[in-house]
Amino acid sequence: MIKARLKKLKEDVYKANIDLAKSNLVTGTFGNVSGIDRDSNIVAIKPSGVEYSKLSSKEIVLIDLDGNIVEGDLRPSSDTKTHIKLYKEFKDIGAVSHTHSTYATAWAQAKRPIPCLGTTHADYFYGEIPCTRIISDNKIDKDYEEETGTLIIDTFKNIDYHNMKAVLVACHGPFAWGKDPKEAVSISVILEEIAHMNYMSVLLNPSSENIKKSLLDKHYFRKHGKAAYYGQK
């Protein structure tokens, strides 16, 4: 049973990584998608530095939550410890996606959260998309990738990760998550579109302000939560 689940997880993570590339959210070998089997606490993740055109489900690496390789001959993504940190702290997410997509990364490099300026944003993210503080030198020297995960967790002390499925890591780029690899990639695609849209909005009107709360609540909760009525049952 577990062997079959992990085989499917590797296939799903492989397809999600390919979808990331097809969505033009990655250049070269940038970016990675992982997924977790919560029953066994085994994570499947893209191997480090492998070109997407040469990737197959066989190359997807299986690791445990201590970072030990369970299956695979290649080294896992250099961002593995960040992914693991999110899985440990965000107890019910099923996948993590990381990119260096142009517009979301531009906001991260500007060290600015993405403001919630309109209903397109409000349909998917409950408020402005946060940006972490800049990582300190001692944390870079200590364990850079794990401390990057800690930065994200600290940023979400007062934010519900269920209603905000993305974050910008200052000077680095975006991370997103979902119930499975497919949703994590979908969130990354939506994040990039909103980052682009809001960039253009701020160019047109530098004094643009966040959407009023009543409109934010209406658009977000008509799609999410117990009282949602958007789409089909």
Side-chain angles (χ1 to χ4, degrees):
M1 179 68 75
I2 185 172
K3 188 174 181 179
R5 287 204 319 269
L6 293 178
K7 182 179 180 180
K8 183 179 186 304
L9 180 64
K10 288 179 66 172
E11 184 66 29
D12 290 345
V13 167
Y14 160 70
K15 289 178 180 178
N17 276 282
I18 296 303
D19 286 344
L20 207 62
K22 287 181 178 179
S23 300
N24 296 317
L25 297 186
V26 295
T27 302
T29 59
F30 292 170
N32 40 72
V33 181
S34 69
I36 187 170
D37 177 71
R38 286 290 184 181
D39 290 335
S40 62
N41 282 329
I42 298 298
V43 173
I45 193 166
K46 179 183 179 289
S48 179
V50 175
E51 295 179 15
Y52 288 88
S53 62
K54 297 179 180 178
L55 190 64
S56 74
S57 61
K58 293 180 181 179
E59 275 81 48
I60 298 299
V61 185
L62 294 181
I63 57 173
D64 62 24
L65 288 181
D66 292 319
N68 300 309
I69 294 176
V70 173
E71 180 181 300
D73 299 321
L74 301 175
R75 286 187 298 176
S77 166
S78 58
D79 295 305
T80 291
K81 289 186 178 180
T82 307
H83 288 241
I84 287 175
K85 187 72 176 182
L86 295 178
Y87 287 127
K88 286 182 175 179
E89 298 294 331
F90 296 169
K91 299 295 186 181
D92 52 1
I93 65 172
V96 174
S97 172
H98 171 51
T99 78
H100 290 259
S101 59
T102 303
Y103 287 93
T105 301
W107 285 94
Q109 292 182 168
K111 299 175 284 292
R112 291 186 58 181
I114 301 176
C116 183
L117 302 178
T119 60
T120 308
H121 182 134
D123 279 340
Y124 296 97
F125 302 101
Y126 190 57
E128 67 178 22
I129 298 162
C131 184
T132 71
R133 65 183 184 277
I134 302 171
I135 192 167
S136 64
D137 288 346
N138 69 308
K139 291 185 181 297
I140 292 172
D141 293 337
K142 183 180 179 182
D143 193 326
Y144 173 62
E145 289 80 15
E146 183 173 349
E147 293 298 336
T148 296
T150 300
L151 269 181
I152 295 172
I153 300 306
D154 289 347
T155 301
F156 276 73
K157 282 182 178 178
N158 297 309
I159 302 173
D160 186 345
Y161 68 87
H162 299 95
N163 296 334
M164 180 59 60
K165 295 182 179 180
V167 66
L168 308 178
V169 176
C171 304
H172 186 171
F175 284 81
W177 47 86
K179 65 181 183 294
D180 54 35
K182 183 176 181 179
E183 185 185 35
V185 171
S186 177
I187 296 295
S188 292
V189 171
I190 294 164
L191 171 63
E192 178 65 3
E193 183 64 22
I194 288 170
H196 187 183
M197 193 179 300
N198 287 7
Y199 168 78
M200 298 298 293
S201 298
V202 171
L203 279 182
L204 289 167
N205 181 8
S207 60
S208 297
E209 296 181 351
N210 279 320
I211 192 173
K212 62 181 181 179
K213 189 173 185 301
S214 59
L215 199 51
L216 169 64
D217 287 349
K218 183 62 177 179
H219 269 263
Y220 186 80
F221 291 112
R222 74 175 185 169
K223 293 190 74 170
H224 309 275
K226 295 180 180 179
Y229 61 87
Y230 176 89
Q232 305 302 315
K233 291 185 178 180

